[in-house]
PDB file of all heavy atoms in Angstrom:
ATOM      1  N   LEU A  48      41.109  33.769 -77.172  1.00 27.00           N
ATOM      2  CA  LEU A  48      41.637  34.786 -76.280  1.00 27.00           C
ATOM      3  C   LEU A  48      43.043  35.183 -76.677  1.00 27.00           C
ATOM      4  O   LEU A  48      43.815  35.689 -75.883  1.00 27.00           O
ATOM      5  CB  LEU A  48      41.664  34.240 -74.860  1.00 27.00           C
ATOM      6  CG  LEU A  48      40.358  33.598 -74.433  1.00 27.00           C
ATOM      7  CD1 LEU A  48      40.562  32.827 -73.162  1.00 27.00           C
ATOM      8  CD2 LEU A  48      39.299  34.649 -74.266  1.00 27.00           C
ATOM      9  N   ILE A  69      30.442  33.245 -68.608  1.00 93.00           N
ATOM     10  CA  ILE A  69      31.045  34.577 -68.527  1.00 93.00           C
ATOM     11  C   ILE A  69      31.260  35.128 -69.934  1.00 93.00           C
ATOM     12  O   ILE A  69      31.660  34.394 -70.836  1.00 93.00           O
ATOM     13  CB  ILE A  69      32.402  34.497 -67.765  1.00 93.00           C
ATOM     14  CG1 ILE A  69      32.140  34.306 -66.266  1.00 93.00           C
ATOM     15  CG2 ILE A  69      33.247  35.739 -67.998  1.00 93.00           C
ATOM     16  CD1 ILE A  69      33.399  34.222 -65.438  1.00 93.00           C
ATOM     17  N   ASN A  70      30.956  36.391 -70.109  1.00 93.00           N
ATOM     18  CA  ASN A  70      31.316  37.104 -71.331  1.00 93.00           C
ATOM     19  C   ASN A  70      32.321  38.189 -70.968  1.00 93.00           C
ATOM     20  O   ASN A  70      32.224  38.796 -69.902  1.00 93.00           O
ATOM     21  CB  ASN A  70      30.088  37.765 -71.972  1.00 93.00           C
ATOM     22  CG  ASN A  70      29.231  36.765 -72.750  1.00 93.00           C
ATOM     23  OD1 ASN A  70      29.634  35.637 -72.984  1.00 93.00           O
ATOM     24  ND2 ASN A  70      28.048  37.209 -73.140  1.00 93.00           N
ATOM     25  N   VAL A  71      33.266  38.418 -71.863  1.00 94.00           N
ATOM     26  CA  VAL A  71      34.273  39.463 -71.625  1.00 94.00           C
ATOM     27  C   VAL A  71      34.416  40.302 -72.884  1.00 94.00           C
ATOM     28  O   VAL A  71      34.447  39.758 -73.991  1.00 94.00           O
ATOM     29  CB  VAL A  71      35.650  38.837 -71.279  1.00 94.00           C
ATOM     30  CG1 VAL A  71      36.671  39.934 -70.997  1.00 94.00           C
ATOM     31  CG2 VAL A  71      35.545  37.909 -70.087  1.00 94.00           C
ATOM     32  N   GLU A  81      31.234  40.046 -67.591  1.00 95.00           N
ATOM     33  CA  GLU A  81      29.822  39.904 -67.228  1.00 95.00           C
ATOM     34  C   GLU A  81      29.527  38.427 -66.994  1.00 95.00           C
ATOM     35  O   GLU A  81      29.961  37.572 -67.764  1.00 95.00           O
ATOM     36  CB  GLU A  81      28.951  40.446 -68.365  1.00 95.00           C
ATOM     37  CG  GLU A  81      27.474  40.498 -68.032  1.00 95.00           C
ATOM     38  CD  GLU A  81      26.650  40.843 -69.264  1.00 95.00           C
ATOM     39  OE1 GLU A  81      26.383  39.938 -70.074  1.00 95.00           O
ATOM     40  OE2 GLU A  81      26.275  42.014 -69.413  1.00 95.00           O
ATOM     41  N   LYS A  88      22.637  36.756 -54.454  1.00 91.00           N
ATOM     42  CA  LYS A  88      22.575  38.067 -53.834  1.00 91.00           C
ATOM     43  C   LYS A  88      24.002  38.555 -53.624  1.00 91.00           C
ATOM     44  O   LYS A  88      24.946  37.773 -53.716  1.00 91.00           O
ATOM     45  CB  LYS A  88      21.841  37.991 -52.506  1.00 91.00           C
ATOM     46  CG  LYS A  88      20.461  37.347 -52.648  1.00 91.00           C
ATOM     47  CD  LYS A  88      19.546  37.714 -51.509  1.00 91.00           C
ATOM     48  CE  LYS A  88      18.184  37.065 -51.703  1.00 91.00           C
ATOM     49  NZ  LYS A  88      17.567  37.411 -53.000  1.00 91.00           N
ATOM     50  N   GLU A 110      16.952  25.127 -53.993  1.00 58.00           N
ATOM     51  CA  GLU A 110      15.608  25.714 -53.902  1.00 58.00           C
ATOM     52  C   GLU A 110      14.690  24.900 -53.002  1.00 58.00           C
ATOM     53  O   GLU A 110      13.828  25.438 -52.335  1.00 58.00           O
ATOM     54  CB  GLU A 110      14.980  25.845 -55.293  1.00 58.00           C
ATOM     55  CG  GLU A 110      15.600  26.936 -56.136  1.00 58.00           C
ATOM     56  CD  GLU A 110      15.225  28.324 -55.660  1.00 58.00           C
ATOM     57  OE1 GLU A 110      14.263  28.447 -54.885  1.00 58.00           O
ATOM     58  OE2 GLU A 110      15.905  29.283 -56.048  1.00 58.00           O
ATOM     59  N   ARG A 119       9.650  17.792 -54.222  1.00 82.00           N
ATOM     60  CA  ARG A 119      10.710  16.951 -54.804  1.00 82.00           C
ATOM     61  C   ARG A 119      10.845  17.312 -56.275  1.00 82.00           C
ATOM     62  O   ARG A 119       9.887  17.738 -56.927  1.00 82.00           O
ATOM     63  CB  ARG A 119      10.406  15.468 -54.598  1.00 82.00           C
ATOM     64  CG  ARG A 119       9.251  14.954 -55.388  1.00 82.00           C
ATOM     65  CD  ARG A 119       8.997  13.487 -55.038  1.00 82.00           C
ATOM     66  NE  ARG A 119       7.753  13.054 -55.613  1.00 82.00           N
ATOM     67  CZ  ARG A 119       7.652  12.530 -56.841  1.00 82.00           C
ATOM     68  NH1 ARG A 119       8.717  12.385 -57.587  1.00 82.00           N
ATOM     69  NH2 ARG A 119       6.481  12.165 -57.319  1.00 82.00           N
ATOM     70  N   LEU A 121      11.109  17.101 -60.131  1.00 85.00           N
ATOM     71  CA  LEU A 121      10.711  16.305 -61.282  1.00 85.00           C
ATOM     72  C   LEU A 121      11.661  16.576 -62.441  1.00 85.00           C
ATOM     73  O   LEU A 121      11.856  15.741 -63.304  1.00 85.00           O
ATOM     74  CB  LEU A 121       9.277  16.664 -61.700  1.00 85.00           C
ATOM     75  CG  LEU A 121       8.220  16.462 -60.608  1.00 85.00           C
ATOM     76  CD1 LEU A 121       6.870  16.942 -61.089  1.00 85.00           C
ATOM     77  CD2 LEU A 121       8.145  15.002 -60.196  1.00 85.00           C
ATOM     78  N   ARG A 125      18.919  23.634 -63.066  1.00 86.00           N
ATOM     79  CA  ARG A 125      19.614  24.831 -62.576  1.00 86.00           C
ATOM     80  C   ARG A 125      20.802  24.466 -61.689  1.00 86.00           C
ATOM     81  O   ARG A 125      20.755  23.507 -60.940  1.00 86.00           O
ATOM     82  CB  ARG A 125      18.635  25.718 -61.807  1.00 86.00           C
ATOM     83  CG  ARG A 125      17.469  26.193 -62.677  1.00 86.00           C
ATOM     84  CD  ARG A 125      16.381  26.852 -61.876  1.00 86.00           C
ATOM     85  NE  ARG A 125      16.860  28.045 -61.209  1.00 86.00           N
ATOM     86  CZ  ARG A 125      16.951  28.187 -59.898  1.00 86.00           C
ATOM     87  NH1 ARG A 125      16.598  27.194 -59.102  1.00 86.00           N
ATOM     88  NH2 ARG A 125      17.388  29.291 -59.378  1.00 86.00           N
ATOM     89  N   ARG A 132      35.536  31.094 -60.343  1.00 92.00           N
ATOM     90  CA  ARG A 132      36.136  31.277 -61.669  1.00 92.00           C
ATOM     91  C   ARG A 132      37.156  32.397 -61.594  1.00 92.00           C
ATOM     92  O   ARG A 132      36.924  33.414 -60.950  1.00 92.00           O
ATOM     93  CB  ARG A 132      35.081  31.636 -62.714  1.00 92.00           C
ATOM     94  CG  ARG A 132      34.129  30.508 -63.016  1.00 92.00           C
ATOM     95  CD  ARG A 132      33.478  30.685 -64.357  1.00 92.00           C
ATOM     96  NE  ARG A 132      34.441  30.451 -65.431  1.00 92.00           N
ATOM     97  CZ  ARG A 132      34.118  30.463 -66.717  1.00 92.00           C
ATOM     98  NH1 ARG A 132      32.891  30.718 -67.086  1.00 92.00           N
ATOM     99  NH2 ARG A 132      35.029  30.233 -67.645  1.00 92.00           N
ATOM    100  N   ASP A 151      19.372  42.147 -61.486  1.00 95.00           N
ATOM    101  CA  ASP A 151      18.500  41.127 -62.082  1.00 95.00           C
ATOM    102  C   ASP A 151      19.262  39.851 -62.428  1.00 95.00           C
ATOM    103  O   ASP A 151      19.013  39.231 -63.460  1.00 95.00           O
ATOM    104  CB  ASP A 151      17.817  41.675 -63.344  1.00 95.00           C
ATOM    105  CG  ASP A 151      17.004  42.923 -63.052  1.00 95.00           C
ATOM    106  OD1 ASP A 151      16.268  42.911 -62.055  1.00 95.00           O
ATOM    107  OD2 ASP A 151      17.118  43.905 -63.818  1.00 95.00           O
TER     108      ASP A 151
ATOM    109  N   VAL B  47      11.568  21.806 -62.064  1.00 89.00           N
ATOM    110  CA  VAL B  47      10.147  21.601 -61.775  1.00 89.00           C
ATOM    111  C   VAL B  47      10.060  20.803 -60.474  1.00 89.00           C
ATOM    112  O   VAL B  47      10.695  19.749 -60.345  1.00 89.00           O
ATOM    113  CB  VAL B  47       9.424  20.844 -62.917  1.00 89.00           C
ATOM    114  CG1 VAL B  47       7.951  20.668 -62.578  1.00 89.00           C
ATOM    115  CG2 VAL B  47       9.583  21.576 -64.234  1.00 89.00           C
ATOM    116  N   ARG B  49       7.505  19.174 -57.399  1.00 87.00           N
ATOM    117  CA  ARG B  49       6.147  18.823 -56.988  1.00 87.00           C
ATOM    118  C   ARG B  49       6.079  18.862 -55.471  1.00 87.00           C
ATOM    119  O   ARG B  49       6.851  18.210 -54.783  1.00 87.00           O
ATOM    120  CB  ARG B  49       5.776  17.425 -57.475  1.00 87.00           C
ATOM    121  CG  ARG B  49       4.383  16.998 -57.025  1.00 87.00           C
ATOM    122  CD  ARG B  49       4.089  15.562 -57.375  1.00 87.00           C
ATOM    123  NE  ARG B  49       3.922  15.372 -58.808  1.00 87.00           N
ATOM    124  CZ  ARG B  49       2.813  15.716 -59.483  1.00 87.00           C
ATOM    125  NH1 ARG B  49       1.808  16.279 -58.857  1.00 87.00           N
ATOM    126  NH2 ARG B  49       2.724  15.487 -60.772  1.00 87.00           N
ATOM    127  N   ASP B  59      15.744  30.157 -64.486  1.00 94.00           N
ATOM    128  CA  ASP B  59      16.789  31.180 -64.460  1.00 94.00           C
ATOM    129  C   ASP B  59      16.612  32.098 -65.662  1.00 94.00           C
ATOM    130  O   ASP B  59      16.736  31.662 -66.809  1.00 94.00           O
ATOM    131  CB  ASP B  59      18.169  30.520 -64.543  1.00 94.00           C
ATOM    132  CG  ASP B  59      18.613  29.937 -63.217  1.00 94.00           C
ATOM    133  OD1 ASP B  59      18.003  30.289 -62.188  1.00 94.00           O
ATOM    134  OD2 ASP B  59      19.568  29.140 -63.215  1.00 94.00           O
ATOM    135  N   GLY B  62      18.768  38.992 -66.247  1.00 94.00           N
ATOM    136  CA  GLY B  62      18.640  40.159 -67.115  1.00 94.00           C
ATOM    137  C   GLY B  62      17.208  40.566 -67.391  1.00 94.00           C
ATOM    138  O   GLY B  62      16.972  41.610 -68.008  1.00 94.00           O
ATOM    139  N   LYS B  64      13.620  41.993 -66.346  1.00 95.00           N
ATOM    140  CA  LYS B  64      12.932  42.779 -65.324  1.00 95.00           C
ATOM    141  C   LYS B  64      11.463  42.358 -65.285  1.00 95.00           C
ATOM    142  O   LYS B  64      10.946  41.816 -66.248  1.00 95.00           O
ATOM    143  CB  LYS B  64      13.037  44.265 -65.647  1.00 95.00           C
ATOM    144  CG  LYS B  64      14.471  44.768 -65.635  1.00 95.00           C
ATOM    145  CD  LYS B  64      14.506  46.257 -65.885  1.00 95.00           C
ATOM    146  CE  LYS B  64      15.937  46.732 -66.114  1.00 95.00           C
ATOM    147  NZ  LYS B  64      16.875  46.278 -65.088  1.00 95.00           N
ATOM    148  N   LEU B  97      35.893  39.271 -76.195  1.00 90.00           N
ATOM    149  CA  LEU B  97      37.159  38.559 -76.043  1.00 90.00           C
ATOM    150  C   LEU B  97      36.873  37.125 -75.628  1.00 90.00           C
ATOM    151  O   LEU B  97      37.638  36.209 -75.902  1.00 90.00           O
ATOM    152  CB  LEU B  97      38.018  39.236 -74.973  1.00 90.00           C
ATOM    153  CG  LEU B  97      38.356  40.699 -75.272  1.00 90.00           C
ATOM    154  CD1 LEU B  97      38.803  41.398 -74.014  1.00 90.00           C
ATOM    155  CD2 LEU B  97      39.411  40.776 -76.346  1.00 90.00           C
ATOM    156  N   LEU B  98      35.773  36.948 -74.931  1.00 90.00           N
ATOM    157  CA  LEU B  98      35.337  35.622 -74.499  1.00 90.00           C
ATOM    158  C   LEU B  98      33.816  35.657 -74.500  1.00 90.00           C
ATOM    159  O   LEU B  98      33.211  36.586 -73.967  1.00 90.00           O
ATOM    160  CB  LEU B  98      35.851  35.328 -73.085  1.00 90.00           C
ATOM    161  CG  LEU B  98      35.283  34.083 -72.389  1.00 90.00           C
ATOM    162  CD1 LEU B  98      35.720  32.822 -73.106  1.00 90.00           C
ATOM    163  CD2 LEU B  98      35.731  34.046 -70.937  1.00 90.00           C
ATOM    164  N   GLU B 100      30.675  33.135 -73.702  1.00 88.00           N
ATOM    165  CA  GLU B 100      30.173  31.819 -73.298  1.00 88.00           C
ATOM    166  C   GLU B 100      28.657  31.745 -73.321  1.00 88.00           C
ATOM    167  O   GLU B 100      28.098  30.674 -73.163  1.00 88.00           O
ATOM    168  CB  GLU B 100      30.688  31.475 -71.897  1.00 88.00           C
ATOM    169  CG  GLU B 100      32.192  31.293 -71.859  1.00 88.00           C
ATOM    170  CD  GLU B 100      32.706  30.958 -70.482  1.00 88.00           C
ATOM    171  OE1 GLU B 100      31.937  31.011 -69.506  1.00 88.00           O
ATOM    172  OE2 GLU B 100      33.896  30.668 -70.369  1.00 88.00           O
ATOM    173  N   TYR B 101      28.012  32.887 -73.475  1.00 88.00           N
ATOM    174  CA  TYR B 101      26.554  32.839 -73.587  1.00 88.00           C
ATOM    175  C   TYR B 101      26.086  33.957 -74.499  1.00 88.00           C
ATOM    176  O   TYR B 101      26.758  34.969 -74.672  1.00 88.00           O
ATOM    177  CB  TYR B 101      25.875  32.944 -72.210  1.00 88.00           C
ATOM    178  CG  TYR B 101      26.168  34.214 -71.437  1.00 88.00           C
ATOM    179  CD1 TYR B 101      25.342  35.329 -71.558  1.00 88.00           C
ATOM    180  CD2 TYR B 101      27.246  34.274 -70.578  1.00 88.00           C
ATOM    181  CE1 TYR B 101      25.598  36.480 -70.836  1.00 88.00           C
ATOM    182  CE2 TYR B 101      27.508  35.414 -69.861  1.00 88.00           C
ATOM    183  CZ  TYR B 101      26.696  36.523 -69.993  1.00 88.00           C
ATOM    184  OH  TYR B 101      26.954  37.655 -69.278  1.00 88.00           O
ATOM    185  N   ASP B 127      15.778  38.649 -58.511  1.00 94.00           N
ATOM    186  CA  ASP B 127      17.191  38.516 -58.912  1.00 94.00           C
ATOM    187  C   ASP B 127      17.363  37.638 -60.143  1.00 94.00           C
ATOM    188  O   ASP B 127      18.286  36.835 -60.224  1.00 94.00           O
ATOM    189  CB  ASP B 127      18.029  37.928 -57.754  1.00 94.00           C
ATOM    190  CG  ASP B 127      17.992  38.806 -56.520  1.00 94.00           C
ATOM    191  OD1 ASP B 127      17.913  40.028 -56.686  1.00 94.00           O
ATOM    192  OD2 ASP B 127      18.022  38.274 -55.399  1.00 94.00           O
ATOM    193  N   ARG B 131       9.741  32.266 -60.468  1.00 94.00           N
ATOM    194  CA  ARG B 131       9.134  31.154 -59.764  1.00 94.00           C
ATOM    195  C   ARG B 131       7.631  31.177 -60.043  1.00 94.00           C
ATOM    196  O   ARG B 131       6.947  32.141 -59.702  1.00 94.00           O
ATOM    197  CB  ARG B 131       9.406  31.298 -58.266  1.00 94.00           C
ATOM    198  CG  ARG B 131       8.722  30.280 -57.381  1.00 94.00           C
ATOM    199  CD  ARG B 131       8.949  30.644 -55.933  1.00 94.00           C
ATOM    200  NE  ARG B 131      10.335  30.390 -55.559  1.00 94.00           N
ATOM    201  CZ  ARG B 131      10.745  29.256 -54.979  1.00 94.00           C
ATOM    202  NH1 ARG B 131       9.888  28.321 -54.696  1.00 94.00           N
ATOM    203  NH2 ARG B 131      11.997  29.094 -54.678  1.00 94.00           N
TER     204      ARG B 131
END
Side-chain angles (χ1 to χ4, degrees):
Chain A
L48 311 167
I69 286 180
N70 281 349
V71 182
E81 187 189 81
K88 306 201 179 304
E110 288 288 344
R119 69 183 170 89
L121 302 176
R125 299 170 62 246
R132 292 202 71 176
D151 302 314
Chain B
V47 181
R49 178 187 290 283
D59 282 345
K64 297 183 190 310
L97 301 162
L98 170 66
E100 294 180 352
Y101 60 91
D127 300 327
R131 174 187 288 265

